[in-house]
Amino acid sequence: WKVHGLAPWFNLVLGDDGRLACGAIGMIATLFVALRARAIAGSETIEPIWFAILISLNATFSPYTPIYDLVLLMVGATLTAEHIVRRYGPNVSRSLATTQFLLAIVYFGPHLSQVLAKSTGGQPFGLMLAVLCIWQVALLLQSQRETSSASDQLLTSVSR
């Protein structure tokens, strides 16, 4: 109940091999994200959301993530908030509630989930981390789609 990643959930399904499988999936996912970020960015600066995803993947799939290691999630949450501010600019207020909720989950989630984990034996924060990773990837994909559609529109208008 002290491990906050998905490793305990993998152990429920795979037994003793759960931690190994969780760590292997995490390594593969991290490698994929890092290589993809590098390939897309080329010589340009890599967007902060990529680093946020890497931090979240590390916490989610680490075979042993104790509560004190989760302080790194605050960096990831800050990078995600920066991505949202960059993306929405002056209209950031429409995503402000989401950002505040994200920061609250990252800060209070591990501590509050300890109570549940101690009494039930299952750590719910790993599931919250998985949702956080999925949300960050969705933000990234959405911004990439908008960027590619904007460049397509620009090319269309220039070519006419």
Side-chain angles (χ1 to χ4, degrees):
W1 61 269
K2 290 184 179 184
V3 177
H4 285 80
L6 288 180
W9 297 99
F10 275 81
N11 278 351
L12 283 176
V13 176
L14 301 174
D16 291 339
D17 295 332
R19 285 188 192 280
L20 178 63
C22 185
I25 290 170
M27 273 198 317
I28 291 167
T30 300
L31 218 92
F32 175 77
V33 169
L35 293 173
R36 183 84 174 136
R38 192 70 188 137
I40 287 176
S43 63
E44 297 177 22
T45 305
I46 296 174
E47 288 291 317
I49 191 71
W50 289 99
F51 296 109
I53 292 169
L54 288 171
I55 291 169
S56 296
L57 282 172
N58 180 53
T60 304
F61 290 101
S62 175
Y64 181 70
T65 307
I67 197 165
Y68 48 82
D69 284 353
L70 294 176
V71 72
L72 294 174
L73 287 176
M74 288 308 291
V75 175
T78 303
L79 292 172
T80 303
E82 181 182 342
H83 173 79
I84 290 170
V85 168
R86 282 184 180 188
R87 185 165 169 255
Y88 291 112
N91 299 325
V92 76
S93 62
R94 64 183 229 209
S95 287
L96 193 58
T98 306
T99 306
Q100 290 170 338
F101 184 67
L102 163 74
L103 292 171
I105 284 176
V106 166
Y107 188 75
F108 295 112
H111 305 288
L112 295 175
S113 69
Q114 285 290 89
V115 175
L116 252 138
K118 207 171 197 176
S119 61
T120 63
Q123 179 55 264
F125 193 69
L127 301 175
M128 287 188 263
L129 280 175
V131 170
L132 174 69
C133 281
I134 291 167
W135 179 64
Q136 288 171 325
V137 169
L139 282 173
L140 175 68
L141 292 175
Q142 186 177 16
S143 68
Q144 284 182 337
R145 268 187 252 120
E146 289 172 0
T147 303
S148 69
S149 71
S151 66
D152 288 346
Q153 289 172 357
L154 179 64
L155 288 174
T156 305
S157 64
V158 171
S159 64
R160 287 185 184 172

